[in-house]
Amino acid sequence: MGGIFPEKEKLDEIARWQGQIVDGFGVIGPEYVRHRLRRRQLDAWFEKQVKAARAGDLDVPAGSPFRQMLDHVDADGRPLSDRTTAVEVQNVIRPTIATARFAAFAAKALHENPAWREKIRTEALERGVTWDGPVAEAFAEEVRRYYPFVPLLPSVARTDFEHQGIEVKKGDRVLVDIYGSMRDPEYWDHPETFDPARFLETEMQHSEVFVPQGGADVNTGHRCPGEIIVVGLLALTVAELSVREWTVPPQDLDYSMSRLPALPADGVKLAGMSSPGR
Ligand code: HEM
């Protein structure tokens, strides 16, 4: 885990708790209470690891993400506080775990689009590897467009401004419509159709209305710096699923975009997974 090596049971628990933090962030109800509790517990656990590492009681490999965060100093030469280091480590781990939500939607999409599954399988077998395949990547991009499990981003205006004739005052609540931007027929052909071809040999992934993880320039705007990781992981998952045989037992694959973050009702369970190549 980026330079921290807990026992297997602890690792499973951390993964489960990080998943629960993701699951509860936009819900009013018990999930949100659990989200807050897990966050407190994990912040404390990671802070303990930071303190142990800085005291020399933990072996952290050189070059690992954890070591880099432990050794990072700001412009004035000061290291991050123990608490901030603990939070920053999790800022990498937690969203990587959250990519599993896109993976669940990708499995549903492969199940519902067998012709694409076959294309991706052919691509992977021809290339001899399951990473960086253009067809798998186009499929991953379409999953991010079609199933944005965080369909809106809430924000507060920092200044007065006008947008498309609407006056916004400093302090006003602003919602960025992630879902709507990626379904707008003005920019997307047949936006209600799941079609990875829209990202094959096109530049649509660089379009300003393609905002599954925030928008504008990553350095100056509100774009997630982890996009390249998500697309890489997702394309790999899609290709790995395509070179295997599996079935989808009876379950509810429906989902609601008004549940934040969204996920198909039964989480997308697959059965009878074969070895690669079938
Ligand atoms: C699972 C899918 C993901 C989604 C939907 C997502 C979405 C977002 C969004 C909307 C922002 C806010 C941008 C802003 O308002 O400035 C953000 C920020 C961020 N994301 Fe992601 N992200 C994902 C995965 C990842 C991954 C895998 C990583 C790294 C391993 C990552 C690292 C970050 C970091 C470090 C920030 C904060 C950037 C800053 O404040 O400068 N994200 N993400």
Side-chain angles (χ1 to χ4, degrees):
M1 196 169 58
I4 313 175
F5 306 102
E7 301 287 300
K8 163 114 179 51
E9 281 96 70
K10 187 67 195 169
L11 194 61
D12 289 347
E13 184 181 79
I14 291 169
R16 204 169 50 251
W17 286 7
Q18 295 287 8
Q20 290 171 350
I21 293 177
V22 175
D23 189 57
F25 82 82
V27 186
I28 300 169
E31 290 100 329
Y32 186 72
V33 177
R34 194 176 59 185
H35 157 104
R36 294 296 300 249
L37 173 71
R38 296 306 188 215
R39 189 179 274 270
R40 237 193 357 257
Q41 288 169 309
L42 283 174
D43 283 354
W45 188 84
F46 276 91
E47 193 174 346
K48 221 167 92 188
Q49 307 307 306
V50 172
K51 285 188 194 308
R54 287 191 165 145
D57 296 337
L58 209 63
D59 192 18
V60 184
S64 63
F66 189 34
R67 172 52 66 203
Q68 290 184 40
M69 289 185 201
L70 288 168
D71 294 348
H72 178 80
V73 287
D74 66 16
D76 302 322
R78 279 186 309 236
L80 300 173
S81 71
D82 293 347
R83 177 46 66 115
T84 304
T85 310
V87 170
E88 289 297 348
V89 176
Q90 294 177 83
N91 281 348
V92 174
I93 295 170
R94 190 179 306 122
T96 305
I97 290 174
T99 307
R101 282 190 177 244
F102 277 139
F105 281 112
K108 170 180 158 71
L110 284 172
H111 172 58
E112 291 169 359
N113 297 274
W116 278 102
R117 184 175 163 193
E118 200 49 45
K119 269 188 216 170
I120 296 164
R121 170 183 143 79
T122 305
E123 171 181 78
L125 295 181
E126 277 175 10
R127 297 175 75 246
V129 293
T130 45
W131 56 87
D132 291 344
V135 182
E137 269 180 15
F139 193 93
E141 296 293 35
E142 181 67 342
V143 167
R144 293 201 307 145
R145 182 192 76 86
Y146 200 81
Y147 302 106
F149 64 81
V150 183
L152 56 88
L153 289 177
S155 180
V156 175
R158 287 202 298 204
T159 52
D160 295 352
F161 66 93
E162 192 191 303
H163 180 66
Q164 296 183 344
I166 297 170
E167 295 242 330
V168 179
K169 292 262 167 257
K170 183 179 172 185
D172 279 356
R173 172 71 70 193
V174 178
L175 297 178
V176 181
D177 185 1
I178 300 291
Y179 181 91
S181 302
M182 298 192 296
R183 300 263 180 150
D184 187 338
E186 193 177 324
Y187 301 98
W188 303 93
D189 288 339
H190 307 293
E192 300 305 327
T193 306
F194 182 89
D195 183 11
R198 68 176 85 246
F199 289 107
L200 257 184
E201 292 170 25
T202 70
E203 287 297 309
M204 275 318 275
Q205 64 272 39
H206 303 302
S207 153
E208 61 176 15
V209 285
F210 185 50
V211 289
Q213 292 172 231
D217 184 84
V218 67
N219 295 308
T220 52
H222 285 283
R223 191 158 216 118
C224 169
E227 275 197 299
I228 192 170
I229 298 172
V230 172
V231 176
L233 283 174
L234 201 53
L236 177 69
T237 306
V238 159
E240 285 289 333
L241 285 175
S242 298
V243 295
R244 289 169 161 81
E245 222 28 281
W246 38 269
T247 57
V248 180
Q251 62 189 291
D252 188 354
L253 291 175
D254 280 349
Y255 62 95
S256 162
M257 279 289 164
S258 48
R259 199 277 184 203
L260 229 89
L263 189 70
D266 287 337
V268 190
K269 296 185 183 74
L270 308 182
M273 185 77 66
S274 73
S275 306
R278 297 178 192 172

